[in-house]
Amino acid sequence: MPAVSKGDGMRGLAVFISDIRNCKSKEAEIKRINKELANIRSKFKGDKALDGYSKKKYVCKLLFIFLLGHDIDFGHMEAVNLLSSNKYTEKQIGYLFISVLVNSNSELIRLINNAIKNDLSSRNPTFMCLALHCIANVGSREMAEAFAGEIPRILVAGDTMDSVKQSAALCLLRLYKASPDLVLMGEWTSRVVHLLNDQHMGVVTAAISLITCLSSKNPDEFKTCVSLAVSRLSRIVSSASTDLQDYTYYFVPAPWLSCKLLRLLQCYPPPEDGAVKGRLVECLETILNKAQEPPKSKKVQHSNAKNAILFEAISLIIHYDSEPNLLVRACNQLGQFLQHRETNLRYLALESMCTLASSEFSHEAVKTHIETVINALKTERDVSVRQRAADLLYAMCDRSNAKQIVAEMLSYLETADYSIREEMVLKVAILAEKYAVDYSWYVDTILNLIRIAGDYVSEEVWYRVIQIVINRDDVQGYAAKTVFEALQAPACHENMVKVGGYILGEFGNLIAGDPRSSPLVQFNLLHSKFHLCSVPTRALLLSAYIKFINLFPETKATIQEVLRSDSQIRNSDVELQQRAVEYLKLSSIASTDVLATVLEEMPPFPERESSILAKLKKKKGPGAVSVELEDGKERGELNGGGDRGGDASTPSPSADLLGLRSTAPVSGTTPSAGSLLVDVFSEAGPSATSAGVNDDGFLSSAPPTVASEDPAPPLPESDELLNKFVCKNNGVLFENQLLQIGIKSEYRQNLGRMYLFYGNKTSVQFVSFNTTVSCPGELQSHILQLEPLVEGGAQVQQVINIECLTDFIDAPLLNIKFRYGGALQNISLKLPVTINKFFQPTEMAAADFFQRWKQLSQPQQEAQKIFKASHGMDTEVLKAKLLGLGTALLENVDPNPENYVCAGVIQTKAQQVGCLLRLEPNAQAQVHTHKCILLDSRLIMCHQCKSILNSC
Amino acid sequence: SPGTVLETHCTRRQNISHIRFILIQNRAGKTRLAKWYMQFDDDEKQKLIEEVHAVVTVRDAKHTNFVEFRNFKIIYRRYAGLYFCICVDVTDNNLAYLEGIHNFVEVLNEYFHNVCELDLVFNFYKVYTVVDEMFLAGEIRETSQTKVLKQLLMLQSLE
């Protein structure tokens, strides 16, 4: 019993713990505990006041009992009493009990807070640390309310001891995470950032966690940390292995601090200051160089510490994704690790390379390691390493190596761990579809998939192969031949029977010329599998049989016989019985013509999202699939239909607006079916957002081979968005299965501020979350960077400031990139900034209005449009819209009370442009005539106004 | 006003610390230390303890020291009959935490003069102090063994 032998412990506690350990049974233990509880209770209730030591001992025993898994319903007050002891050991036990056991019981919290307050102001560093640790451990809102103001003061005060500073920094971090609204850094910001310069490395180590968290929330306020972090890092990296004394770990100087510094830098884009950037690149190069140096120690601790820094540096290099030289060096370094004897390093190299594979600079370099990765897939002992190898193969797959990778994955599947088979099957199916250069390869691959891992082939996979075969007449004959051969196997998987039944029922005629696969042979083959199949498969086969009767009249008698047999027509399963009865009747009474019509070949499936993709998304989250499959292919479905024709995809935004105008509903109404825009209050769920994948992209128009890091082209519905937000400033800007983006914006004169709210709809983190805005030259924007992590279920806010320099047509583009489950998501949207946002309403009298109206009616100054009143003629709706446009609605100005007139001034930095509007509703024709007059003769403005008119 | 918008959205955000929990378990699954940096109720804690034990003990020495766990990962190392496990985000630096464990173990070893499982049992309340010196609020607080041990010896001398 070491505690006793040290002479500083509590003898009674040690004895009690020994007793418990000696208990032979659970019952004996419970008995001993109950005895102790009774004893402690009586001591606490006794008349005699307990001394501090006894109180400490009993509270500690209660804690031990609690940690054994028993409930404790008393002793809290005694623990709180210990807090006001002057003895460290008593105080410590009091605080420990509270940290472990007390939840926000309001009465006690007040007492606890009081004790903490006393200790914080005690100027005794030991007591201050105990109090700070208690706050950091409990972190309740009540504590934040009580101490969030005090702790920053302690943190930056000149006379605070280093150890107290360390605790204060992390205590503040805990409070900030729990109650960010209560922790206001304001005046302390700069002093907190300068803790990066603190002499005491422990203070820097603790403070940097706080700074990283604060920076990720308010990057602008903390951006001075970048240069400080770079210089601190540079000093560490260039120091000799003994310079840092206490902070050198197995010959590696300050490994944890280095990692934290590198991580802090990942909250920011590359430094703009050339000198700072140069210094940082130098650091990164030094770190990469050190990886090549002979180790200073053979201990694994040495290499682990060194490599911890290396991997963090590589993360930063990938985060910047702008230094091809460093990216390629990183890739080569990882390549070496792929064959390292340490399993940890092989694992981490595979994982890290997976992200490198999607950078355009390093994709090719990653591909050179394909053989090693394939080998890892075959030989690694640890399933999680094999999993990483499979992920990397999936990530590095492109048109050039798809056949090899798919073949390797297929052969791995034969022996793959059960835990990852289903995912592997989906990945193979997706790669096969994505990179198919000929359909026969695709069909072979999927049938192999069913043969090898039939149990793991979900319905989605075999549905998909059928969809594709139905839609492609050039592969139907091959598919029929292949399934026919596959069905020859004595034991083939039921999924194979399903695919076979379906395909032969549709296209068996294509191989019926060969006597070896004559209609009757085909039928007998299928029917030989019938009795071993489940009900749904039998039902499918019955449908295939009736299709046979149509395709091959010579099989009619045989098949009718089968249908008529008791095992069909009297089957206990109602579905099978019904099919047998109906098909039998149909085949006996319908004429050949009727039969041919009823049993006609299946029409092509509508183009829609790959069902496999949907499945993988559901399984791993959409991010498991590179977005390029979805990108830009929704066009056909989303914009198809209606009378818009091809308009919707024309590149000019104004043309788009015009094109969409006729059918797209604008703000305030329920979004049309298939629209990606879900209004905040509408009931429509994300189900409406499923993206379509059209098969045209499957073969002909080859998608890009890698998930490109370049900003994706704006979503086709972006323009529709602009319309939606012309007259309003708040709403949901975008939503898919992963992400929802809400927007709130406000404008004053030529300035605008937008708040974007990114909501992670999944339960998984988004990493490397990064957003950029690209503006036309006429606008200037400033975007506050976000932290690169968005927790599952979390919402983060971003502020964008916009200044309108002069009139403009193109809306700014917002690009959002992040990784979800390793795969890059790349979304571009148009920000709803239209020129009318910079309207200042102008009140004017009737005389003024018409005087100006007449003065300014040269053709290039006006725009007029007649359009259908898609929102009816309701006065209030129209008024609201016109006000939403930003102009002043002038009452009693127009002699015709039916008309609406408005006036406003468009404020840009360069000039102010007056604008007069008149809307003439024509109730009979349900149309409006909308005329806009501008105090500016430039067409660009007029053009823009025309677009805006469309949305009213 | 924008200020209030900001505030409401910050409060709505889920914030979770980097280390979710630290566990020390023996091979039989007995917990020798459980330090939580995230709110869990007692049942959930018990479930996590059991799951971690099940996940970690089946792995052999040739396996990595990292294992995926729910939406997180466990970084662990075995010392004699004890498993030291740290649960972190999937994006966290594996090797830094792996050596964080080792650094912690070396401190325990020094502090208890050749630490053994029983030291952790009988001095459980001191182990919490060691943890708080080195990890606080789910973050690394102090990495220097010299500094931590100096502080622990100073505390030891207090009454």
Side-chain angles (χ1 to χ4, degrees):
Chain A
M1 288 181 287
V4 179
S5 65
K6 274 181 190 154
D8 58 343
M10 293 162 267
R11 190 169 163 74
L13 174 70
V15 169
F16 175 58
I17 295 175
S18 295
D19 284 358
I20 295 288
R21 291 180 53 79
N22 290 334
C23 286
K24 296 277 185 292
S25 66
K26 196 79 198 162
E27 290 72 31
E29 183 183 309
I30 290 173
K31 209 174 145 198
R32 178 67 185 89
I33 283 169
N34 284 336
K35 186 182 152 202
E36 194 61 42
L37 286 173
N39 173 41
I40 298 173
R41 205 176 263 126
S42 77
K43 296 282 185 200
F44 283 169
K45 276 189 184 159
D47 305 331
K48 220 175 74 189
L50 289 175
D51 61 10
Y53 172 82
S54 312
K55 216 181 272 174
K56 171 182 85 169
K57 183 179 68 184
Y58 294 130
V59 167
C60 205
K61 282 182 180 176
L62 285 178
L63 185 57
F64 183 78
I65 294 169
F66 176 79
L67 291 171
L68 282 178
H70 302 271
D71 286 338
I72 294 296
D73 55 4
F74 69 104
H76 301 72
M77 191 50 87
E78 284 74 11
V80 173
N81 288 342
L82 285 175
L83 299 184
S84 36
S85 163
N86 281 326
K87 291 187 173 150
Y88 165 75
T89 51
E90 291 169 16
K91 222 184 241 301
Q92 190 250 328
I93 297 295
Y95 274 124
L96 178 59
F97 185 92
I98 283 155
S99 304
V100 174
L101 255 133
V102 171
N103 25 39
S104 29
N105 174 330
S106 60
E107 246 172 86
L108 279 181
I109 286 287
R110 213 172 318 120
L111 292 171
I112 295 165
N113 278 359
N114 214 21
I116 291 177
K117 189 175 262 165
N118 289 336
D119 282 334
L120 284 184
S121 52
S122 69
R123 310 187 66 82
N124 173 334
T126 307
F127 291 179
M128 288 172 87
C129 278
L130 276 181
L132 289 168
H133 292 185
C134 179
I135 303 174
N137 282 324
V138 177
S140 66
R141 190 156 179 91
E142 291 87 348
M143 286 188 176
E145 277 162 1
F147 304 111
E150 178 61 18
I151 295 169
R153 222 182 301 276
I154 296 175
L155 175 59
V156 299
D159 58 350
T160 305
M161 299 269 294
D162 291 328
S163 65
V164 178
K165 276 191 194 169
Q166 286 173 276
S167 301
L170 293 172
C171 185
L172 196 56
L173 171 62
R174 172 68 199 252
L175 294 185
Y176 181 77
K177 284 181 173 180
S179 318
D181 52 320
L182 296 177
V183 179
L184 303 168
M185 293 311 295
E187 48 180 323
W188 309 113
T189 303
S190 143
R191 295 172 75 181
V192 169
V193 170
H194 275 86
L195 289 172
L196 287 175
N197 266 342
D198 201 285
Q199 283 196 318
H200 190 286
M201 300 270 272
V203 172
V204 188
T205 305
I208 195 171
S209 297
L210 174 67
I211 294 167
T212 305
C213 175
L214 292 169
S215 295
S216 60
K217 305 284 163 47
N218 325 287
D220 251 34
E221 279 172 53
F222 284 83
K223 63 173 179 251
T224 49
C225 72
V226 172
S227 61
L228 290 176
V230 169
S231 54
R232 189 94 212 193
L233 179 69
S234 164
R235 269 179 282 158
I236 297 173
V237 167
S238 58
S239 65
S241 56
T242 50
D243 285 356
L244 302 177
Q245 295 167 356
D246 291 353
Y247 289 88
T248 296
Y249 179 82
Y250 288 89
F251 304 102
V252 181
W256 293 280
L257 180 54
S258 304
C259 289
K260 284 186 171 198
L261 286 162
L262 288 161
R263 200 154 263 251
L264 170 61
L265 291 171
Q266 290 172 57
C267 298
Y268 289 90
E272 282 162 17
D273 182 327
V276 177
K277 187 168 182 194
R279 207 160 171 198
L280 177 55
V281 168
E282 218 169 88
C283 286
L284 295 171
E285 280 170 346
T286 310
I287 294 169
L288 286 166
N289 291 341
K290 280 188 178 175
Q292 297 297 325
E293 289 170 9
K296 294 196 175 67
S297 155
K298 285 209 161 64
K299 296 256 188 191
V300 71
Q301 282 76 22
H302 170 72
S303 67
N304 278 349
K306 205 163 108 174
N307 291 328
I309 302 172
L310 178 64
F311 277 106
E312 204 60 66
I314 291 177
S315 294
L316 182 63
I317 292 168
I318 296 172
H319 168 75
Y320 287 161
D321 198 13
S322 59
E323 300 283 330
N325 173 39
L326 290 176
L327 281 161
V328 170
R329 283 195 64 186
C331 185
N332 293 341
Q333 182 59 53
L334 295 176
Q336 288 183 19
F337 285 157
L338 288 181
Q339 313 207 41
H340 202 279
R341 62 189 163 79
E342 283 269 328
T343 315
N344 285 344
L345 286 182
R346 296 196 302 275
Y347 174 92
L348 293 172
L350 288 166
E351 187 181 63
S352 188
M353 243 191 205
C354 219
T355 49
L356 269 180
S358 52
S359 165
E360 55 173 321
F361 301 114
S362 46
H363 180 75
E364 288 304 315
V366 170
K367 275 168 60 183
T368 59
H369 299 288
I370 186 167
E371 297 302 335
T372 317
V373 182
I374 287 171
N375 196 41
L377 186 66
K378 288 177 175 161
T379 59
E380 284 289 350
R381 282 181 53 183
D382 184 342
V383 58
S384 57
V385 185
R386 293 196 294 274
Q387 175 77 62
R388 290 290 88 83
D391 287 348
L392 178 53
L393 283 179
Y394 182 73
M396 66 162 69
C397 191
D398 64 20
R399 199 161 293 278
S400 73
N401 55 22
K403 281 203 172 171
Q404 185 187 9
I405 286 179
V406 167
E408 291 296 345
M409 285 175 122
L410 270 176
S411 78
Y412 172 61
L413 252 181
E414 308 226 24
T415 54
D417 313 77
Y418 294 107
S419 56
I420 64 170
R421 279 197 183 185
E422 186 177 358
E423 197 187 317
M424 290 287 293
V425 165
L426 291 175
K427 285 186 164 166
V428 170
I430 286 171
L431 292 179
E433 177 172 338
K434 195 160 141 190
Y435 297 116
V437 279
D438 60 87
Y439 282 111
S440 51
W441 176 73
Y442 171 75
V443 170
D444 282 343
T445 303
I446 301 297
L447 293 183
N448 263 328
L449 210 50
I450 295 174
R451 192 177 50 75
I452 294 166
D455 283 344
Y456 298 88
V457 173
S458 56
E459 292 193 326
E460 286 81 0
V461 173
W462 74 263
Y463 288 172
R464 187 66 184 157
V465 70
I466 283 173
Q467 276 175 22
I468 286 174
V469 170
I470 301 267
N471 289 13
R472 299 277 144 191
D473 46 18
D474 50 346
V475 76
Q476 289 159 356
Y478 181 79
K481 180 168 165 286
T482 316
V483 289
F484 178 80
E485 281 162 7
L487 287 172
Q488 306 285 336
C492 60
H493 196 272
E494 189 162 331
N495 279 332
M496 188 69 87
V497 179
K498 288 178 183 164
V499 177
Y502 203 110
I503 288 180
L504 293 180
E506 294 294 329
F507 310 113
N509 55 325
L510 299 176
I511 56 168
D514 188 326
R516 286 167 300 178
S517 52
S518 72
L520 220 49
V521 173
Q522 285 183 45
F523 170 76
N524 286 333
L525 180 62
L526 278 180
H527 198 55
S528 70
K529 314 284 179 192
F530 187 92
H531 304 281
L532 296 169
C533 290
S534 64
V535 168
T537 308
R538 290 192 202 185
L540 184 151
L541 286 176
L542 290 180
S543 298
Y545 298 169
I546 185 75
K547 290 231 161 190
F548 266 44
I549 293 183
N550 175 45
L551 286 179
F552 317 115
E554 65 266 38
T555 60
K556 185 171 172 176
T558 317
I559 290 174
Q560 279 184 335
E561 184 108 353
V562 168
L563 292 176
R564 205 177 288 121
S565 75
D566 278 357
S567 62
Q568 308 302 343
I569 212 156
R570 293 186 202 284
N571 195 293
S572 61
D573 184 272
V574 70
E575 174 68 32
L576 293 181
Q577 190 186 97
Q578 187 171 358
R579 284 193 192 212
V581 170
E582 286 176 6
Y583 291 160
L584 182 61
K585 206 70 188 164
L586 182 66
S587 65
S588 12
I589 60 171
S591 68
T592 330
D593 284 353
V594 172
L595 215 53
T597 313
V598 175
L599 301 172
E600 203 179 358
E601 192 180 299
M602 288 293 285
F605 284 86
E607 306 297 7
R608 59 180 172 222
E609 180 180 27
S610 158
S611 44
I612 312 170
L613 211 56
K615 168 91 174 177
L616 188 64
K617 279 187 199 164
K618 224 169 85 189
K619 197 172 153 53
K620 285 213 105 179
V625 188
S626 319
V627 275
E628 83 229 37
L629 266 174
E630 298 137 277
D631 263 356
K633 295 190 181 171
E634 319 159 320
R635 225 162 258 199
E637 190 180 52
L638 283 171
N639 294 344
D643 54 354
R644 285 168 287 148
D647 275 358
S649 52
T650 37
S652 149
S654 56
D656 256 19
L657 285 165
L658 290 168
L660 288 167
R661 169 67 201 99
S662 51
T663 50
V666 293
S667 61
T669 57
T670 323
S672 61
S675 161
L676 279 189
L677 309 170
V678 182
D679 205 84
V680 207
F681 303 110
S682 81
E683 296 288 322
S687 56
T689 64
S690 67
V693 169
N694 98 31
D695 281 337
D696 287 331
F698 175 60
L699 267 192
S700 48
S701 63
T705 49
V706 208
S708 167
E709 291 270 1
D710 290 336
L715 296 177
E717 65 276 12
S718 280
D719 291 319
E720 208 172 321
L721 273 176
L722 281 183
N723 270 353
K724 181 179 163 169
F725 283 95
V726 161
C727 292
K728 68 173 190 174
N729 288 331
N730 305 330
V732 172
L733 183 62
F734 172 80
E735 177 151 3
N736 64 11
Q737 290 100 321
L738 289 177
L739 178 71
Q740 186 194 54
I741 306 175
I743 185 168
K744 275 180 197 283
S745 38
E746 52 189 26
Y747 294 88
R748 212 158 287 147
Q749 301 193 318
N750 67 323
L751 302 175
R753 178 171 292 173
M754 267 181 186
Y755 299 90
L756 293 175
F757 302 99
Y758 302 95
N760 179 345
K761 293 170 64 178
T762 71
S763 55
V764 179
Q765 278 185 333
F766 295 161
V767 300
S768 311
F769 196 88
N770 182 35
T771 56
T772 49
V773 171
S774 54
C775 268
E778 300 84 20
L779 290 172
Q780 212 163 48
S781 73
H782 179 73
I783 184 163
L784 293 175
Q785 280 308 319
L786 289 169
E787 80 172 310
L789 275 190
V790 182
E791 299 288 349
Q795 189 184 50
V796 294
Q797 180 197 253
Q798 184 169 45
V799 180
I800 301 175
N801 291 316
I802 290 165
E803 181 176 10
C804 177
L805 302 177
T806 179
D807 49 276
F808 63 96
I809 289 186
D810 293 326
L813 277 183
L814 170 71
N815 177 252
I816 302 139
K817 273 188 262 183
F818 58 94
R819 286 181 186 282
Y820 176 86
L824 178 72
Q825 306 290 319
N826 188 346
I827 300 162
S828 286
L829 299 167
K830 287 187 180 173
L831 284 175
V833 182
T834 43
I835 191 101
N836 68 297
K837 300 293 184 191
F838 302 98
F839 258 133
Q840 288 276 102
T842 314
E843 295 291 341
M844 56 176 79
D848 279 353
F849 184 88
F850 283 103
Q851 192 192 353
R852 289 172 201 222
W853 185 266
K854 278 173 199 137
Q855 264 173 11
L856 298 159
S857 37
Q858 292 166 33
Q860 71 270 34
Q861 280 179 303
E862 66 170 67
Q864 178 169 330
K865 181 156 176 74
I866 299 175
F867 55 90
K868 223 171 140 191
S870 43
H871 301 298
M873 290 293 187
D874 185 84
T875 318
E876 290 312 311
V877 172
L878 283 172
K879 277 187 181 169
K881 287 226 173 274
L882 289 168
L883 284 173
L885 204 57
T887 49
L889 187 60
L890 305 177
E891 306 275 1
N892 307 320
V893 165
D894 199 294
N896 181 350
E898 298 286 301
N899 291 350
Y900 302 89
V901 293
C902 310
V905 176
I906 294 172
Q907 306 266 352
T908 72
K909 195 180 181 191
Q911 85 268 51
Q912 304 191 336
V913 184
C915 180
L916 307 175
L917 297 160
R918 180 150 79 163
L919 182 73
E920 299 167 9
N922 179 341
Q924 264 135 19
Q926 288 284 304
V927 295
H928 298 298
T929 304
H930 203 158
K931 192 167 181 179
C932 174
I933 302 276
L934 288 166
L935 294 170
D936 185 40
S937 55
R938 279 174 311 157
L939 274 170
I940 181 170
M941 193 72 116
C942 227
H943 183 77
Q944 176 74 356
C945 277
K946 233 179 206 166
S947 309
I948 292 168
L949 293 185
N950 287 322
S951 346
C952 296
Chain B
S1 82
T4 48
V5 171
L6 199 148
E7 279 163 26
T8 45
H9 282 277
C10 282
T11 32
R12 219 183 291 165
R13 220 188 99 85
Q14 282 183 0
N15 275 301
I16 312 161
S17 59
H18 280 263
I19 301 178
R20 309 308 160 102
F21 55 79
I22 299 177
L23 282 182
I24 306 177
Q25 299 175 314
N26 69 13
R27 286 174 65 191
K30 278 227 191 299
T31 306
R32 295 312 181 197
L33 172 84
K35 182 79 189 172
W36 309 94
Y37 297 100
M38 207 177 149
Q39 292 294 333
F40 297 106
D41 60 33
D42 291 343
D43 292 347
E44 182 74 1
K45 286 179 184 172
Q46 193 48 42
K47 227 168 100 190
L48 286 167
I49 286 172
E50 284 162 20
E51 277 180 37
V52 170
H53 181 251
V55 163
V56 165
T57 45
V58 295
R59 299 173 60 82
D60 71 31
K62 289 271 181 197
H63 286 172
T64 59
N65 292 89
F66 329 121
V67 56
E68 286 172 38
F69 181 75
R70 301 196 182 178
N71 283 335
F72 309 106
K73 64 187 171 198
I74 304 281
I75 316 280
Y76 73 96
R77 195 181 247 164
R78 185 176 156 182
Y79 294 88
L82 287 180
Y83 289 90
F84 286 69
C85 308
I86 291 190
C87 176
V88 290
D89 285 336
V90 280
T91 54
D92 272 322
N93 189 315
N94 298 38
L95 293 175
Y97 282 108
L98 184 59
E99 287 316 305
I101 291 174
H102 189 74
N103 202 29
F104 175 55
V105 171
E106 288 193 352
V107 167
L108 290 176
N109 199 44
E110 197 67 29
Y111 182 54
F112 290 110
H113 308 292
N114 290 326
V115 67
C116 67
E117 191 175 343
L118 277 188
D119 291 323
L120 305 187
V121 175
F122 283 94
N123 298 290
F124 70 95
Y125 56 96
K126 289 185 183 168
V127 179
Y128 280 100
T129 303
V130 182
V131 173
D132 279 352
E133 285 297 319
M134 302 187 75
F135 304 93
L136 192 63
E139 297 285 348
I140 294 175
R141 178 181 176 276
E142 179 56 85
T143 60
S144 157
Q145 294 184 18
T146 322
K147 291 235 156 60
V148 174
L149 286 164
K150 213 173 121 196
Q151 176 74 3
L152 291 172
L153 289 180
M154 190 277 285
L155 295 176
Q156 184 89 354
S157 70
L158 296 175
E159 216 350 91

